[in-house]
Every structure is written in C-alpha cells, then in structure tokens.
Amino acid sequence: MDAIRCVVDTGGEWRALRENEPGIDQTRAGLTAVTGIAALTDFADTVPYHPLFTLPRGHTGAPRGNSMATIAVDVAVPDALRPVVDVAALPMALGDAGPAWLVLSGDGRLARWTPATGEVRDVARYREEGPASEYGGGVRLRLHVSRCGRWAAVVQDRGRYGTVVDLTTGSPALKLDGGDYCCETVPFALAFAEHGGRPVVVHRTDWNRLDVTDLASGEVLTARDGPDRDEEDAEHDLDYFHGTLSLSPDGTRLYDGGWVWQPWGMPAVWSLTAWLHDNPYESEDGPSYAVYPEVSEWNWPVVWIDDGRIAVYDRDDAGGGTVHVLDPASIEPRSPGVRWIKAVATFPWPVGDLGFFTDGEHLLIADEAGLRGVDITSGQQVFAIDGFRPARQDRHTGTLIQVGSANARLWTPPGWTARAG
C-alpha cells in the first residue's frame, strides 16, 4: 500500500512523503535524531507518522525551527504495561536505543520502557499504602523520577502517602507521610533535586511543613535542631497548605502551588540553595520566600518557561481563565515580612481541562483539541498540533508523551535544553 508516512517542510510548503520516495531516507535519519524512534527496522509498517502541525489563521510560510518538530510519532504500548497509570522520563543510558520512560502499571509494576525498540524491563514493584484520606477526594497515583534516574517516587495526589524507590535495587528507600489534614485538596508535594552533587527529595511531612532528605544517606537536611526548637518552630509556623512543587530549570528555586484560608490560591517561590545552605526555615518565611496572591484557585497548571518566567493558570468566579506569567526574581516588598512576586504578563485563556508544558520559549497548552504553542508575552497562538494532548514531558529531551489505552504519541520540540529535577 502506498501509505503516507510523514510530512516535511519544503521551502515554506508542506508536502507528504511516501515510502520509497526520494528523500525518505534523509527524512528518516532526521526523525531518528529528533525522536530516537524512526530508525526501527520495518519502518513503514511499524511506526506511523502523523502530519498534525497547523499554523495560526493568517500565517504564511513555514514555522520557525527544525521542521522535524512537526512530526508526531505513534507507538504501541506493550500489553505487559497496560493499563498505564502514569509515566515519567528516564535519562538515556549508554547503549540505549532511544529515550526511555518509567511506567507505573495498574498492577503496581514499575518498568523501564524504550519506545524505539518496544523493550520492557521490570525494575520494581509498588504496593499502595492506605487509606489515602478519611475524606476521600479522588486519589490518583503520581510518578516522579530523579534526574539521575536512580530514584523514583510513587505518591498519592489528593492523598497522604508515598514511597521513594531505589530503581537500582527495586527496594523501597523512603516511606512518605504528608499528614491527613486536608490532604485531599492538593497533589502530594514532592520534587527531586540535587544538593552538592547529591540527589535529594523535597517532600511534605505535614500540611504546612516541607523537608528535604538526602536519598543516599537518609539524612533530613532541613531538620530544626537545638534546645529551643519547639519555640522556634512555633515562631515560624506557616498557615499554608503545600501543593504542587516544581523545580526551576537551573535547580536553584522551588515553586509551590499551595493555598491559604479562607481558601485562596497562594503560589510561592523560594531559594532551594538558601534553604539547604543557610536557613532551615527558608521554605516558611525566609528572605527569599515570596508569594503571588493574584490567583484565587490552586491545582491548575503551572510550568517554568525558563529560569526567569513561570506560567500559572487561574480561573475566576465569572467563569473565565487567565494565564499569569511571573518573574520569580522580581520581588516587591509589601507589609513587613511579605514579598510579592511580580507578573510580567497576563492574558486570557479559555477555561478547560488543561495541561502546561514548554519548548523553552513558548507556553505549550494541551486542551481537548490538541497542543497550542502560545507566545507568553502577547498570549497569541503561534502554532498548534491538532489531536495531540500530552500528559508528561521529558526534562532531558523535551519530548512530550500522550498515553492511551493501546498507543502512545510522542513529539519533540527543537532546541531543547536539559533541565534540573
């Protein structure tokens, strides 16, 4: 069958290439470089490519950047991994055929999956703790992986418990308990980071308390020591429910998407470096701790575009939605001890079931129709990938992945710079 395999940019015009057509080998090589998948044997029958890229209305010519970024790749999800609960990217190891993903399956297995070859290798098992919360709240298991790829965490978003697993041994390394007070209102606050070249995990230990644990030694790096510890703890007590944690691309700052009474979203940012080097109370009221009170809700999407810009979504009482672009280094002192993060841009965006990602330049918004590339200054859509609704992004390669019941779709933006976490 003379099937269309992919589309390419040829001098500002898009045309389809068919198998055995001149130029297909060069295109295949380019796809391999971008996706790590196209070099499979029996290419034509195994890996279909879909022309999903569209330009905004009125745009002429070709989009900027590598034209290979217009190709989305479909691969089959191996039967052994179904149903897929969550996925998270793993770093490529020496000799790997392509990027790999850690997959949490419905039966609790943690497996390394390489889409380029279809290889599946079991690395650990997860046994869910419980109960998640006496109040319910729709608990969902969430998977996190350290940048080095040795450690993974399975946590209960809108729940109480989690486990850090050493993927080199398959054994549990750290049991997590975030407390049950209003835990059903937030994702489990957790982020992997590095300190002094060593992997650490930031995790909630109570509704209003975060700690950092060195994974190799098990040492709590944010322990409050001293004879007056209880008195100091009370002095720094934070009336704040910790939510989604997100590490800046350079690994020096943490974003916290939590909330305060009476319920109001209150994003916060502070210096991880200052927290671990200077002040165990930095995450509560330290000199680098700043908030952005201009959103009303929490648990909406957020992403670091780069080290100096964070995109945060909010929904208002009138049913509209707004993207707030924050500069975490631009702080305005307000009342004594209160520092506000400044917004560098805001623009409306329709309310929906959204996901936020980035290519390092644009805000990428996943909605019911597909993926939208948005200029973060003007809020104008600059490109779209119809029908592609990714759930996770690989911090190493930038690749986004959408996982269905039987197939997965992947797309890699050009010019990606690897990120911390």
Side-chain angles (χ1 to χ4, degrees):
M1 184 175 74
D2 191 21
I4 294 175
R5 297 302 167 197
C6 60
V7 294
V8 296
D9 173 19
T10 56
E13 296 183 357
W14 296 93
R15 72 183 184 86
L17 283 182
R18 301 172 184 273
E19 191 68 19
N20 300 321
E21 183 174 342
I24 191 67
D25 290 337
Q26 182 178 359
T27 299
R28 188 183 323 203
L31 287 166
T32 302
V34 172
T35 66
I37 295 177
L40 290 173
T41 58
D42 200 17
F43 162 87
D45 297 326
T46 308
V47 184
Y49 292 86
H50 296 273
L52 302 174
F53 190 92
T54 61
L55 297 170
R57 189 180 305 276
H59 190 284
T60 59
R64 293 178 295 170
N66 188 336
S67 63
M68 289 300 103
T70 65
I71 307 301
V73 182
D74 279 356
V75 296
V77 175
D79 290 342
L81 299 178
R82 305 180 195 169
V84 174
V85 175
D86 201 7
V87 300
L90 289 163
M92 287 180 60
L94 186 65
D96 280 357
W101 298 83
L102 186 67
V103 180
L104 173 63
S105 298
D107 60 0
R109 72 192 299 182
L110 288 166
R112 182 186 182 93
W113 173 42
T114 307
T117 62
E119 178 188 5
V120 174
R121 178 166 58 86
D122 285 353
V123 292
R125 303 286 298 187
Y126 169 74
R127 184 178 66 83
E128 184 173 1
E129 303 286 350
S133 168
E134 62 181 294
Y135 302 106
V139 171
R140 179 185 185 278
L141 294 182
R142 180 75 167 177
L143 186 60
H144 301 261
V145 176
S146 67
R147 188 180 187 185
C148 66
R150 176 178 174 180
W151 310 93
V154 182
V155 297
Q156 298 172 335
D157 280 357
R158 297 182 180 270
R160 175 174 180 173
Y161 299 106
T163 302
V164 176
V165 178
D166 185 342
L167 297 180
T168 63
T169 64
S171 301
L174 180 66
K175 293 292 186 180
L176 306 171
D177 185 344
D180 67 351
Y181 182 47
C182 293
C183 65
E184 70 280 358
T185 67
V186 287
F188 193 100
L190 182 137
F192 286 105
E194 292 185 358
H195 173 60
R198 297 167 64 88
V200 300
V201 60
V202 185
H203 54 103
R204 189 177 75 226
T205 51
D206 205 347
W207 65 275
N208 63 344
R209 168 84 174 258
L210 296 174
D211 280 299
V212 183
T213 301
D214 182 299
L215 288 166
S217 68
E219 178 187 3
V220 178
L221 303 179
T222 50
R224 282 75 158 167
D225 298 320
D228 300 322
R229 182 186 62 185
D230 291 342
E231 184 177 332
E232 288 190 51
D233 282 355
E235 179 184 343
H236 295 277
D237 193 35
L238 191 67
D239 184 17
Y240 187 87
F241 295 82
H242 294 292
T244 297
L245 296 181
S246 182
L247 190 66
S248 63
D250 64 3
T252 64
R253 289 189 179 99
L254 271 169
Y255 169 93
D256 189 342
W259 62 279
V260 296
W261 288 109
Q262 276 289 345
W264 190 268
M266 187 71 69
V269 177
W270 68 93
S271 168
L272 178 67
T273 305
W275 192 19
L276 296 181
H277 279 284
D278 305 320
N279 178 19
Y281 296 101
E282 192 72 27
S283 64
E284 294 161 20
D285 58 6
S288 70
Y289 186 88
V291 297
Y292 183 72
E294 297 299 317
V295 300
S296 59
E297 297 197 4
W298 62 101
N299 293 344
W300 286 96
V302 60
V303 67
W304 290 82
I305 303 298
D306 49 34
D307 294 321
R309 296 176 295 181
I310 310 170
V312 181
Y313 188 74
D314 185 36
R315 186 181 63 180
D316 59 39
D317 293 337
T322 303
V323 175
H324 301 250
V325 182
L326 313 183
D327 177 0
S330 182
I331 307 299
E332 179 183 353
R334 292 294 179 102
S335 58
V338 177
R339 291 165 291 275
W340 283 28
I341 304 166
K342 292 184 179 179
V344 295
T346 60
F347 54 85
W349 196 266
V351 171
D353 185 10
L354 306 176
F356 275 14
F357 308 94
T358 185
D359 59 4
E361 178 184 0
H362 304 98
L363 172 61
L364 307 180
I365 301 178
D367 60 20
E368 291 82 355
L371 190 69
R372 312 297 174 204
V374 179
D375 182 280
I376 65 167
T377 300
S378 67
Q380 295 298 306
Q381 178 179 307
V382 295
F383 65 85
I385 306 179
D386 298 328
F388 180 52
R389 199 177 191 285
R392 300 301 294 267
Q393 186 167 25
D394 181 349
R395 70 177 68 86
H396 310 281
T397 66
T399 299
L400 294 110
I401 187 170
Q402 173 186 352
V403 181
S405 58
N407 295 286
R409 179 166 292 178
L410 302 97
W411 174 76
T412 302
W416 179 258
T417 299
R419 296 179 162 218

